[in-house]
Amino acid sequence: MSEDRIYKSEDGGKPFRFNGNVARVFPDMLRRSIPGYTASIDAIAALARRHVQPGTRCSDLGCSLGAATLAMRRGIVAADSEIVAVDLAPAMVSRCREIVDDDSGTVPVSVMEADIRDVPITNASMVVMNYTLQFLPLESREPLIRQIREGLVDGGILVLSEKVAHSDREIDELMIELYHDFKRSNDYSELEIARKRTALENVLVPETVEDHLCRLNDAGFSHCDVWMKHLNFVSVLAIR
């Protein structure tokens, strides 16, 4: 696994992009940057085992290198199901295809290079968006959530994981500081933390948990709630 030292050399002046440099170190970046990431991936496999229905499709929207895709593939026991993994970044898609091809799972997987807003969701029993919605413009988020809800079969689920803000300013500032402590404990320097935060400004735009739950309820999901939280990173489960 290549070590993430991108912001030792890059100054954060350019907006963060999912380019070849990021693809090369992405597993290490996720491990050291997202608290609870491994647990959330393992949980996706467990959800796939319980909720993927025979003859349906699963979608991994913003699949990056395919961790959630492979988790679903490990968990699925339903017959005649398939997975569609979608990402807009060519470097991510190329590496994801290599990783999927090397995997021994038997559930069919298609990896697409496309904008997730342009990919139809149909006959789906499980959709995963792992830290993806936060990179879309605010005005695109509600239409996409509605599109996903309409494309799910009855009982189908959406797993939505996001970095979040908190409406209470003091709590929000505390969560940010605790998160920076987490990154420091994973050997990111103060300079790397500051530079990456600058690069992500106006690229990753977090919302509150209340914003997400309101949007899911408005879209018509029957049940939705936070089922996993680590500092300012949450995973929401929504059921049609």
Side-chain angles (χ1 to χ4, degrees), residues 100-133:
V100 168
D101 287 345
D102 287 342
D103 181 67
S104 60
T106 58
V107 176
V109 175
S110 301
V111 183
M112 298 175 54
E113 182 182 328
D115 189 319
I116 61 173
R117 293 169 291 185
D118 299 330
V119 177
I121 305 296
T122 58
N123 191 39
S125 58
M126 184 169 183
V127 175
V128 174
M129 280 201 295
N130 245 9
Y131 313 104
T132 300
L133 194 67

Side-chain angles (χ1 to χ4, degrees), residues 7-227:
Y7 289 100
K8 265 196 167 183
S9 55
E10 295 189 17
D11 65 5
K14 295 181 179 179
F16 182 87
R17 294 289 182 264
F18 291 96
N19 55 25
N21 287 337
V22 171
R24 179 177 55 83
V25 302
F26 200 56
D28 184 60
M29 181 183 289
L30 292 174
R31 180 184 65 83
R32 294 165 61 210
S33 298
I34 300 181
Y37 179 75
T38 300
S40 70
I41 293 298
D42 291 342
I44 285 170
L47 284 171
R49 190 172 298 113
R50 293 179 64 91
H51 285 278
V52 175
Q53 302 175 31
T56 62
R57 178 177 294 128
C58 303
S59 295
D60 182 3
L61 303 181
C63 63
S64 62
L65 299 189
T69 294
L70 296 186
M72 285 190 284
R73 196 184 216 184
R74 288 196 307 272
I76 290 172
V77 293
D80 301 321
S81 53
E82 62 176 334
I83 303 170
V84 177
V86 186
D87 205 284
L88 186 59
M92 290 292 187
V93 170
S94 177
R95 181 66 184 128
C96 183
R97 285 174 176 154
E98 294 174 354
I99 291 170
V100 168
D101 287 345
D102 287 342
D103 181 67
S104 60
T106 58
V107 176
V109 175
S110 301
V111 183
M112 298 175 54
E113 182 182 328
D115 189 319
I116 61 173
R117 293 169 291 185
D118 299 330
V119 177
I121 305 296
T122 58
N123 191 39
S125 58
M126 184 169 183
V127 175
V128 174
M129 280 201 295
N130 245 9
Y131 313 104
T132 300
L133 194 67
Q134 60 199 19
F135 289 103
L136 293 183
L138 287 170
E139 64 272 15
S140 296
R141 299 180 186 185
E142 181 180 351
L144 178 58
I145 293 297
R146 289 186 179 275
Q147 178 183 338
I148 291 169
R149 190 267 177 193
E150 290 303 312
L152 285 166
V153 299
D154 288 342
I157 62 170
L158 166 64
V159 179
L160 175 66
S161 302
E162 291 276 287
K163 184 179 183 181
V164 296
H166 293 78
S167 53
D168 185 304
R169 183 174 178 179
E170 187 166 341
I171 294 295
D172 193 56
E173 290 175 353
L174 174 60
M175 289 297 107
I176 290 170
E177 279 306 308
L178 289 172
Y179 174 51
H180 289 168
D181 285 345
F182 171 83
K183 297 186 80 169
R184 292 179 190 108
S185 72
N186 282 318
D187 197 32
Y188 282 117
S189 69
E190 297 295 335
L191 185 61
E192 288 173 291
I193 293 169
R195 284 175 167 178
K196 187 172 183 182
R197 188 175 186 182
T198 299
L200 284 169
E201 190 172 357
N202 299 321
V203 175
L204 189 165
V205 181
E207 298 178 275
T208 66
V209 170
E210 292 78 12
D211 290 331
H212 289 295
L213 294 178
C214 182
R215 183 181 293 121
L216 291 163
N217 281 312
D218 287 348
F221 281 93
S222 299
H223 309 278
C224 57
D225 209 343
V226 172
W227 70 301

